Amino acid sequence: MPKKVRELIKELEQAGFINRGGKGSHRNFVHPDVSKSIVISGQPGDDAQRYQEKAVKVAIEESKK
């Protein structure tokens, strides 16, 4: 069962990422210790894509280093 987009957003915010906004259903999250910004697209109730879940996991791990 895939996670919901709202769950990914919650995980990013708890890890210290800041939502810089976006256009339409896209949101850009940045963190001072992570080199790339993370883009999450979709409405909060939508199922997250597998690549989005992986990108969030990698970014959170990188922020903890």
Side-chain angles (χ1 to χ4, degrees), residues 11-33:
E11 289 176 11
L12 285 169
E13 289 174 343
Q14 288 177 343
F17 284 78
I18 299 168
N19 185 354
R20 290 188 49 218
K23 195 169 190 176
S25 64
H26 290 70
R27 295 160 203 84
N28 298 304
F29 289 88
V30 294
H31 191 281
D33 299 332

Side-chain angles (χ1 to χ4, degrees), residues 3 6-17 53 56-57 60:
K3 292 183 178 182
R6 75 171 67 89
E7 295 172 23
L8 296 182
I9 293 170
K10 185 177 179 182
E11 289 176 11
L12 285 169
E13 289 174 343
Q14 288 177 343
F17 284 78
E53 292 183 31
V56 167
K57 181 181 175 184
I60 291 173

